[in-house]
Amino acid sequence: MININIPDFIAKSITGRESSLFLNDIDANKEALWDKIKNKSILVIGGAGTIGSSFIKSILAFEPARLAVVDINENGLTELTRDLRSDAHIKLPEYYKTYPINFGDLVFEKLLTKEGPFHIVANFAAHKHVRSEKDEYSILAMLQNNVFLAGDFLERLLDYKPEHFFCVSTDKATNPVNVMGASKKLMEEVIMAYSHRLPVTTARFANVAFSNGSLLDGYLYRMMKRQPLSCPSDVKRFFVSPEESGQICMLACLLGKSGDIFFPKLGEEQMIYFRNITQSFIRTAGFEPYICQSEEEARNFDINLSDGKYPVYYFKTNTSGEKLFEEFYTINDIIDDSSFNKLSIIKQSSTKSLEEITEILDQLRSLINSQKLSKNAIIDLLSGYLPDFQHIETGKNLDQKM
Ligand SMILES: NC(=O)c1ccc[n+]([C@@H]2O[C@H](COP(=O)([O-])OP(=O)(O)OC[C@H]3O[C@@H](n4cnc5c(N)ncnc54)[C@H](O)[C@@H]3O)[C@@H](O)[C@H]2O)c1
């Protein structure tokens, strides 16, 4: 077992923040948050995931009356419940129900009809890995989850209008270079097209440290299995803690105006290289990094005979769809920097009407159902809709790496 206190490691070696970046903003808006959450009913989709579960923890502090959590991951829901019920600081409402359901399934519609309407609806369900976009099949699965289901859901919500609807986005939607980011940018366009009929907000933010399936989360498994670490030497990112990720979403969901995209105020100097985090991680685990020259060398390194050294392989990024840096907005966006202390807002980001969005989704559907379907055809079509989308194709994919 590795003995690292993860929240402590995040604070000391990643974000450099002892307490949440958003404490002031939460404090300054406490009354509004109590007013909007206390005794309300809440539906969280994708709530077993890292950000969804952090959102749930943030919102429970304001005593909602009902909480329903939907997630396709049954084990994740089990762990969520164990986590919430084992925490002395968390009080669950009497009505707390978890449902292992795909939010695109018919049974979800039944649930919405019988258990709804909900005052607050938040959606965190998505395909989020750039590695999941190898070919037309994996891209279709991503578009299905991130774009089509998100759109269908909003259409259904028109009959069960909530007071607040939030759907999480990502910094990768800004000037996207991968299909994942492009799918999220399109998702933003889809949900914003409903922003005149429903109160819709979203948030883009940085990497959530140790989020499910992330490089850093993988380090915990590698160390438990005594396997080598591997990381890009040239990529730097902004980071927030899981707690901060839930708080950004709560603030955006409850306090944003319809059409707003929230993002954290983080200065360029707060971006950190993965290789620096990796060095600190190995040292905090009680080892000294041993830098290998290849995956082969790293795999064959015998950790038990290594005299306190831990193998790590640094590589230069060469896979499709990777940016070396991170950004939250483009030069054309209108930014509100003054409403919050540590959050900025992109105002009126989308100009597409619901009719235009429907037309785009219809074109995508007809490509999907045609003989012309290929990864390149989808990328060409998406590039036509999203002028900022510049796909980086190197012919290499993360599934080819350790
Ligand atoms: N983790 C990050 O670093 C990060 C940063 C910025 C933005 N985001 C965005 O936030 C979102 C969530 O990220 P996360 O780290 O919490 O991911 P996660 O994988 O931990 O959580 C997503 C959850 O959604 C569930 N889900 C997926 N499809 C579903 C479906 N059709 N029906 C029901 N449940 C479904 C999954 O089972 C999972 O539990 C993603 O869209 C991601 O792009 C993540």
Side-chain angles (χ1 to χ4, degrees):
M1 273 306 269
I2 49 166
N3 189 18
I4 297 184
N5 177 329
I6 297 298
D8 197 52
F9 178 76
I10 293 173
K12 289 204 173 98
S13 302
I14 303 184
T15 63
R17 295 186 284 274
E18 289 284 320
S19 58
S20 163
L21 190 61
F22 307 110
L23 279 189
N24 281 347
D25 283 316
I26 292 176
D27 213 42
N29 292 286
K30 237 182 194 145
E31 276 176 28
L33 290 168
W34 274 108
D35 186 48
K36 286 165 184 285
I37 303 171
K38 191 172 166 70
N39 292 332
K40 298 290 174 73
S41 59
I42 303 180
L43 170 65
V44 182
I45 300 158
T50 301
I51 305 177
S53 60
S54 303
F55 172 82
I56 287 171
K57 288 176 187 169
S58 297
I59 224 157
L60 282 173
F62 296 93
E63 300 178 7
R66 297 162 82 225
L67 173 62
V69 187
V70 169
D71 199 296
I72 206 167
N73 180 355
E74 193 183 19
N75 296 331
L77 287 173
T78 306
E79 176 51 29
L80 172 74
T81 301
R82 287 180 182 145
D83 185 17
L84 296 177
R85 294 224 182 264
S86 307
D87 189 324
H89 304 288
I90 287 178
K91 192 168 154 252
L92 277 167
E94 190 115 331
Y95 181 114
Y96 164 72
K97 296 186 183 180
T98 64
Y99 298 99
I101 299 175
N102 182 331
F103 84 114
D105 283 355
L106 210 60
V107 58
F108 176 71
E109 198 162 337
K110 284 189 191 301
L111 186 152
L112 207 56
T113 316
K114 284 273 165 79
E115 305 289 314
F118 295 87
H119 296 109
I120 299 165
V121 177
N123 181 13
F124 300 89
H127 278 55
K128 66 170 183 177
H129 287 278
V130 176
R131 69 166 66 234
S132 299
E133 54 179 79
K134 292 166 271 284
D135 52 24
E136 61 265 42
Y137 314 110
S138 48
I139 288 177
L140 281 190
M142 183 176 272
L143 289 173
Q144 170 70 3
N145 216 11
N146 295 1
V147 180
F148 291 115
L149 289 191
D152 293 348
F153 181 40
L154 273 160
E155 194 59 36
R156 245 175 280 148
L157 271 188
L158 292 176
D159 295 331
Y160 310 92
K161 279 189 181 166
E163 290 171 6
H164 301 275
F165 173 78
F166 174 85
C167 187
V168 71
S169 186
T170 168
D171 49 284
K172 293 191 172 73
T174 316
N175 293 323
V177 297
N178 46 56
V179 182
M180 201 288 283
S183 76
K184 287 298 218 160
K185 175 69 190 159
L186 191 54
M187 181 281 293
E188 285 183 359
E189 300 268 8
V190 171
I191 63 169
M192 291 310 171
Y194 284 85
S195 63
H196 300 294
R197 302 180 191 199
L198 288 166
V200 173
T201 54
T202 183
R204 295 176 181 168
F205 46 88
N207 278 33
V208 181
F210 292 93
S211 56
N212 292 335
S214 64
L215 185 72
L216 301 183
D217 182 44
Y219 285 179
L220 301 174
Y221 293 101
R222 301 285 72 68
M223 278 211 170
M224 279 193 283
K225 294 179 178 179
R226 288 290 185 256
Q227 292 173 337
L229 307 190
S230 161
C231 128
S233 57
D234 47 355
V235 175
K236 56 180 176 177
R237 293 282 183 258
F238 290 116
F239 278 89
V240 293
S241 67
E243 181 194 27
E244 289 171 331
S245 76
Q247 292 170 339
I248 298 174
C249 299
M250 176 180 73
L251 290 163
C253 175
L254 278 312
L255 304 176
K257 306 256 180 317
S258 195
D260 283 354
I261 302 177
F262 279 53
F263 65 90
K265 280 185 196 167
L266 292 167
E268 195 131 318
E269 71 289 350
Q270 282 163 290
M271 259 197 258
I272 178 165
Y273 281 100
F274 275 113
R275 65 165 189 267
N276 293 350
I277 301 174
T278 306
Q279 301 271 106
S280 308
F281 185 82
I282 293 172
R283 292 202 170 109
T284 308
F287 296 94
E288 243 336 278
Y290 177 85
I291 297 173
C292 302
Q293 300 308 314
S294 65
E295 285 195 356
E296 183 70 10
E297 183 189 358
R299 261 192 298 269
N300 288 310
F301 190 93
D302 190 338
I303 292 163
N304 296 319
L305 301 175
S306 74
D307 208 15
K309 295 197 169 57
Y310 208 93
V312 55
Y313 171 58
Y314 295 117
F315 57 88
K316 271 206 150 108
T317 299
N318 62 358
T319 48
S320 298
E322 288 296 341
K323 257 188 210 172
L324 296 184
F325 58 93
E326 219 164 8
E327 53 193 343
F328 296 117
Y329 59 92
T330 68
I331 44 167
N332 300 320
D333 288 325
I334 303 164
I335 307 294
D336 164 8
D337 264 335
S338 58
S339 294
F340 291 87
N341 183 18
K342 290 295 179 189
L343 285 162
S344 296
I345 307 171
I346 302 170
K347 305 297 282 185
Q348 300 139 20
S349 67
S350 176
T351 48
K352 290 196 173 61
S353 67
L354 198 48
E355 289 69 33
E356 285 172 280
I357 287 295
T358 309
E359 167 78 27
I360 290 171
L361 296 188
D362 284 348
Q363 285 177 14
L364 249 179
R365 278 194 187 96
S366 64
L367 171 65
I368 289 166
N369 293 323
S370 78
Q371 295 296 326
K372 290 193 208 129
L373 177 64
S374 67
K375 177 178 172 180
N376 285 342
I378 297 173
I379 290 170
D380 286 348
L381 202 64
L382 289 176
S383 305
Y385 308 144
L386 308 169
D388 296 335
F389 177 34
Q390 305 270 347
H391 187 255
I392 296 179
E393 180 62 61
T394 63
K396 292 196 166 61
N397 181 276
L398 277 171
D399 277 3
Q400 294 158 332
K401 288 197 183 296
M402 201 161 69

PDB file of all heavy atoms in Angstrom, residues 226-238:
ATOM      1  N   ARG A 226       3.094  -1.987  -7.989  1.00  0.00           N
ATOM      2  CA  ARG A 226       4.560  -1.883  -8.144  1.00  0.00           C
ATOM      3  C   ARG A 226       4.953  -1.855  -9.629  1.00  0.00           C
ATOM      4  O   ARG A 226       5.847  -2.568 -10.084  1.00  0.00           O
ATOM      5  CB  ARG A 226       5.259  -3.049  -7.422  1.00  0.00           C
ATOM      6  CG  ARG A 226       5.201  -2.918  -5.903  1.00  0.00           C
ATOM      7  CD  ARG A 226       6.093  -1.754  -5.471  1.00  0.00           C
ATOM      8  NE  ARG A 226       6.224  -1.586  -4.038  1.00  0.00           N
ATOM      9  CZ  ARG A 226       5.593  -0.637  -3.325  1.00  0.00           C
ATOM     10  NH1 ARG A 226       4.751   0.196  -3.887  1.00  0.00           N
ATOM     11  NH2 ARG A 226       5.823  -0.527  -2.038  1.00  0.00           N
ATOM     12  N   GLN A 227       4.252  -1.032 -10.380  1.00  0.00           N
ATOM     13  CA  GLN A 227       4.546  -0.853 -11.808  1.00  0.00           C
ATOM     14  C   GLN A 227       5.132   0.541 -12.029  1.00  0.00           C
ATOM     15  O   GLN A 227       4.890   1.455 -11.236  1.00  0.00           O
ATOM     16  CB  GLN A 227       3.263  -1.018 -12.635  1.00  0.00           C
ATOM     17  CG  GLN A 227       2.724  -2.444 -12.622  1.00  0.00           C
ATOM     18  CD  GLN A 227       1.365  -2.557 -13.300  1.00  0.00           C
ATOM     19  OE1 GLN A 227       0.637  -1.588 -13.401  1.00  0.00           O
ATOM     20  NE2 GLN A 227       1.025  -3.761 -13.745  1.00  0.00           N
ATOM     21  N   PRO A 228       5.854   0.729 -13.122  1.00  0.00           N
ATOM     22  CA  PRO A 228       6.501   2.030 -13.348  1.00  0.00           C
ATOM     23  C   PRO A 228       5.506   3.140 -13.663  1.00  0.00           C
ATOM     24  O   PRO A 228       4.384   2.872 -14.086  1.00  0.00           O
ATOM     25  CB  PRO A 228       7.388   1.762 -14.566  1.00  0.00           C
ATOM     26  CG  PRO A 228       6.781   0.604 -15.262  1.00  0.00           C
ATOM     27  CD  PRO A 228       6.154  -0.244 -14.191  1.00  0.00           C
ATOM     28  N   LEU A 229       5.929   4.386 -13.466  1.00  0.00           N
ATOM     29  CA  LEU A 229       5.129   5.543 -13.865  1.00  0.00           C
ATOM     30  C   LEU A 229       5.631   6.013 -15.222  1.00  0.00           C
ATOM     31  O   LEU A 229       6.782   5.768 -15.592  1.00  0.00           O
ATOM     32  CB  LEU A 229       5.255   6.680 -12.844  1.00  0.00           C
ATOM     33  CG  LEU A 229       4.973   6.346 -11.385  1.00  0.00           C
ATOM     34  CD1 LEU A 229       4.913   7.638 -10.558  1.00  0.00           C
ATOM     35  CD2 LEU A 229       3.685   5.567 -11.217  1.00  0.00           C
ATOM     36  N   SER A 230       4.744   6.709 -15.932  1.00  0.00           N
ATOM     37  CA  SER A 230       5.110   7.203 -17.250  1.00  0.00           C
ATOM     38  C   SER A 230       4.345   8.498 -17.464  1.00  0.00           C
ATOM     39  O   SER A 230       3.168   8.587 -17.110  1.00  0.00           O
ATOM     40  CB  SER A 230       4.705   6.130 -18.265  1.00  0.00           C
ATOM     41  OG  SER A 230       4.628   6.660 -19.538  1.00  0.00           O
ATOM     42  N   CYS A 231       5.004   9.507 -18.033  1.00  0.00           N
ATOM     43  CA  CYS A 231       4.333  10.807 -18.101  1.00  0.00           C
ATOM     44  C   CYS A 231       4.953  11.693 -19.166  1.00  0.00           C
ATOM     45  O   CYS A 231       6.144  11.582 -19.463  1.00  0.00           O
ATOM     46  CB  CYS A 231       4.404  11.403 -16.700  1.00  0.00           C
ATOM     47  SG  CYS A 231       5.028  13.017 -16.499  1.00  0.00           S
ATOM     48  N   PRO A 232       4.133  12.573 -19.791  1.00  0.00           N
ATOM     49  CA  PRO A 232       4.695  13.483 -20.799  1.00  0.00           C
ATOM     50  C   PRO A 232       5.604  14.517 -20.129  1.00  0.00           C
ATOM     51  O   PRO A 232       5.279  15.029 -19.063  1.00  0.00           O
ATOM     52  CB  PRO A 232       3.458  14.155 -21.408  1.00  0.00           C
ATOM     53  CG  PRO A 232       2.392  14.018 -20.394  1.00  0.00           C
ATOM     54  CD  PRO A 232       2.688  12.785 -19.598  1.00  0.00           C
ATOM     55  N   SER A 233       6.739  14.789 -20.749  1.00  0.00           N
ATOM     56  CA  SER A 233       7.699  15.716 -20.144  1.00  0.00           C
ATOM     57  C   SER A 233       7.376  17.170 -20.477  1.00  0.00           C
ATOM     58  O   SER A 233       7.847  18.079 -19.825  1.00  0.00           O
ATOM     59  CB  SER A 233       9.105  15.394 -20.658  1.00  0.00           C
ATOM     60  OG  SER A 233       9.105  15.470 -22.080  1.00  0.00           O
ATOM     61  N   ASP A 234       6.528  17.373 -21.513  1.00  0.00           N
ATOM     62  CA  ASP A 234       6.370  18.729 -22.051  1.00  0.00           C
ATOM     63  C   ASP A 234       4.974  19.309 -21.882  1.00  0.00           C
ATOM     64  O   ASP A 234       4.658  20.345 -22.455  1.00  0.00           O
ATOM     65  CB  ASP A 234       6.720  18.716 -23.553  1.00  0.00           C
ATOM     66  CG  ASP A 234       6.045  17.563 -24.301  1.00  0.00           C
ATOM     67  OD1 ASP A 234       5.399  16.731 -23.638  1.00  0.00           O
ATOM     68  OD2 ASP A 234       6.161  17.507 -25.528  1.00  0.00           O
ATOM     69  N   VAL A 235       4.105  18.645 -21.104  1.00  0.00           N
ATOM     70  CA  VAL A 235       2.727  19.128 -20.970  1.00  0.00           C
ATOM     71  C   VAL A 235       2.541  19.792 -19.612  1.00  0.00           C
ATOM     72  O   VAL A 235       2.905  19.220 -18.584  1.00  0.00           O
ATOM     73  CB  VAL A 235       1.720  17.959 -21.119  1.00  0.00           C
ATOM     74  CG1 VAL A 235       0.300  18.435 -20.847  1.00  0.00           C
ATOM     75  CG2 VAL A 235       1.816  17.353 -22.511  1.00  0.00           C
ATOM     76  N   LYS A 236       1.957  21.002 -19.626  1.00  0.00           N
ATOM     77  CA  LYS A 236       1.616  21.634 -18.354  1.00  0.00           C
ATOM     78  C   LYS A 236       0.137  21.970 -18.329  1.00  0.00           C
ATOM     79  O   LYS A 236      -0.473  22.214 -19.377  1.00  0.00           O
ATOM     80  CB  LYS A 236       2.468  22.863 -18.082  1.00  0.00           C
ATOM     81  CG  LYS A 236       2.449  23.933 -19.134  1.00  0.00           C
ATOM     82  CD  LYS A 236       3.346  25.083 -18.706  1.00  0.00           C
ATOM     83  CE  LYS A 236       3.402  26.129 -19.802  1.00  0.00           C
ATOM     84  NZ  LYS A 236       4.188  27.288 -19.417  1.00  0.00           N
ATOM     85  N   ARG A 237      -0.425  21.963 -17.129  1.00  0.00           N
ATOM     86  CA  ARG A 237      -1.868  22.151 -16.974  1.00  0.00           C
ATOM     87  C   ARG A 237      -2.179  22.978 -15.727  1.00  0.00           C
ATOM     88  O   ARG A 237      -1.404  23.001 -14.776  1.00  0.00           O
ATOM     89  CB  ARG A 237      -2.554  20.783 -16.792  1.00  0.00           C
ATOM     90  CG  ARG A 237      -2.518  19.869 -18.014  1.00  0.00           C
ATOM     91  CD  ARG A 237      -3.525  20.264 -19.052  1.00  0.00           C
ATOM     92  NE  ARG A 237      -3.555  19.375 -20.200  1.00  0.00           N
ATOM     93  CZ  ARG A 237      -3.002  19.643 -21.378  1.00  0.00           C
ATOM     94  NH1 ARG A 237      -2.349  20.772 -21.584  1.00  0.00           N
ATOM     95  NH2 ARG A 237      -3.101  18.802 -22.387  1.00  0.00           N
ATOM     96  N   PHE A 238      -3.382  23.607 -15.753  1.00  0.00           N
ATOM     97  CA  PHE A 238      -3.951  24.166 -14.529  1.00  0.00           C
ATOM     98  C   PHE A 238      -4.580  23.006 -13.763  1.00  0.00           C
ATOM     99  O   PHE A 238      -5.084  22.056 -14.374  1.00  0.00           O
ATOM    100  CB  PHE A 238      -5.075  25.146 -14.856  1.00  0.00           C
ATOM    101  CG  PHE A 238      -4.617  26.429 -15.480  1.00  0.00           C
ATOM    102  CD1 PHE A 238      -4.990  26.764 -16.772  1.00  0.00           C
ATOM    103  CD2 PHE A 238      -3.841  27.324 -14.757  1.00  0.00           C
ATOM    104  CE1 PHE A 238      -4.586  27.960 -17.340  1.00  0.00           C
ATOM    105  CE2 PHE A 238      -3.435  28.522 -15.316  1.00  0.00           C
ATOM    106  CZ  PHE A 238      -3.803  28.843 -16.612  1.00  0.00           C
TER     107      PHE A 238
END
